[in-house]
């Protein structure tokens, strides 16, 4: 997904919220996993909300790989003192 498809503030900047917590659990039947992502709603991080998602094992594996690639890219960019590159 291109960044221009992401939600934006009226001023044009990306509408992003910092993650303040997360939890994972397996569904009772063991066929899927649940992810709860908690995020701040304001800059003071005093108010938060959460989204609760369900995913198949394959989706979780793909997400893990995408997050690992992002972390690796950010670590390389920080090591050479450059801004981070592509987000996805």
């Amino acid at each position: 997904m291109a960044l221009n498809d992401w939600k934006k503030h009226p001023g044009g900047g990306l509408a992003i919220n910092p993650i303040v917590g997360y939890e994972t659990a397996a569904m009772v039947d063991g066929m899927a996993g649940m992810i709860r992502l908690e995020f701040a709603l304001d800059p003071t991080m005093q108010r938060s909300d959460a989204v609760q998602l369900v995913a198949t094992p394959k989706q979780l594996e793909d997400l893990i790989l995408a997050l690992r690639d992002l972390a690796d890219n950010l670590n390389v960019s920080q090591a050479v003192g450059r801004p981070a590159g592509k987000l996805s």
Side-chain angles (χ1 to χ4, degrees), residues 7-76:
K7 291 182 183 178
K8 295 188 175 75
H9 292 292
L14 287 176
I16 55 175
N17 302 78
I19 294 175
V20 296
Y22 60 90
E23 292 184 48
T24 62
M27 301 255 330
V28 176
D29 64 7
M31 299 300 293
M34 299 179 291
I35 306 165
R36 177 182 167 90
L37 292 175
E38 299 172 23
F39 53 92
L41 293 172
D42 59 54
T44 66
M45 295 194 198
Q46 297 301 309
R47 296 183 318 115
S48 64
D49 199 354
V51 61
Q52 296 176 176
L53 309 167
V54 64
T56 66
K58 174 70 170 123
Q59 289 173 314
L60 293 170
E61 290 170 4
D62 291 346
L63 177 59
I64 289 165
L65 289 173
L67 292 172
R68 179 77 265 154
D69 286 346
L70 176 58
D72 289 346
N73 288 335
L74 293 172
N75 286 333
V76 167

